[in-house]
Amino acid sequence: MPNPDRQASPSLPLATRPLGHLARDLPGATAVFRRHRLDFCCGGETTLEAAARAQQLDIAEIERELLALDVQAPAETPHDPNTLIDLIVSRFHDVHRRELPELITLAAKVERVHQSHPDVPAGLAALLQKMQDELQAHMQKEEQILFPMMRRNPGGFLAPPIARMREEHDDHGLMLQRVQDLTHDLRLPAEACNTWRALYAGLDKFVADFMQHVHTENNILFPQFEGRG
């Protein structure tokens, strides 16, 4: 079934549209938002204009970057709830479970070996461990409770449990911001060893995956069960 919001989107000024809607409807927009550190997942209901003004960014420049995207490029994210749930579990939940333990190990080694370096991300391993523990509990609640409810009640109204998941997404987003702060936005010192480089490369992928993960839930799956899908 065609998405009416997608059909109407070209007539709406980009600056007035929520970040989450742009990320959903405009292939390639997420990379633009990440480059400018605009939160399109947890902050997906904020308009581009409001988010850019809050960070004193050039709105016109961001709009130019969005308009320059090849909108025919990536495949559209599926809209069907069952397909979306399968995608979320395999593409994001399983991947986070597989990759986070190694990132924690790498972070601990970098902190230990380079503890005297001024750019060492001190406290990163502990932060990633906390994020893994909280994310694991969150994903279990989705897989064991929320997602089965969605599968049993397509089109049902599940706003209360979804509201709790959204709150936890916000908490995870704050931890992700702390990761960015500790690593100076994943900026490596020139003399960084291979372990440090591997850590930041892995974190870069994790940040991108996590933001896409939350965006897929907050802006595509959840609204279908909150009376606004």
Side-chain angles (χ1 to χ4, degrees), residues 81-94 97 138-155 158 161-162 165 169 213-214 216-218 220-222 225:
N82 283 323
T83 305
L84 270 174
I85 290 169
D86 291 341
L87 172 68
I88 288 165
V89 173
S90 64
R91 173 64 184 85
F92 301 116
H93 288 197
D94 291 347
R97 290 186 177 108
H138 173 85
M139 294 188 297
Q140 283 182 340
K141 281 184 279 189
E142 289 186 333
E143 292 172 11
Q144 296 174 11
I145 302 172
L146 181 60
F147 290 169
M149 290 171 65
M150 289 177 167
R151 292 187 191 276
R152 290 194 303 268
N153 301 282
L158 301 174
I162 287 174
M165 294 299 98
H169 285 171
H213 172 190
V214 175
T216 302
E217 293 187 359
N218 276 7
I220 304 176
L221 177 63
F222 289 172
F225 295 87

Side-chain angles (χ1 to χ4, degrees), residues 178-189:
R178 182 61 180 150
V179 170
Q180 297 278 27
D181 293 340
L182 285 177
T183 61
H184 307 290
D185 290 327
L186 302 177
R187 191 165 56 247
L188 283 162

Side-chain angles (χ1 to χ4, degrees), residues 98-107 132 199:
R98 183 170 64 248
E99 295 182 352
L100 268 171
E102 178 63 13
L103 292 176
I104 294 168
T105 299
L106 292 173
Q132 176 182 253
L199 169 63

Side-chain angles (χ1 to χ4, degrees), residues 25-66:
D25 297 337
L26 189 58
T30 57
V32 174
F33 295 153
R34 285 194 64 217
R35 188 158 57 249
H36 292 282
R37 296 191 66 176
L38 292 171
D39 182 5
F40 62 88
C41 51
C42 299
E45 292 303 311
T46 305
T47 65
L48 171 59
E49 181 176 27
R53 288 193 186 282
Q55 297 194 46
Q56 298 183 318
L57 300 174
D58 185 339
I59 300 172
E61 173 57 30
I62 297 171
E63 285 185 306
R64 281 193 292 271
E65 291 182 35
L66 292 172

Side-chain angles (χ1 to χ4, degrees), residues 196-208:
W196 204 334
R197 294 179 185 279
L199 169 63
Y200 281 19
L203 283 173
D204 186 58
K205 179 182 183 300
F206 171 70
V207 169

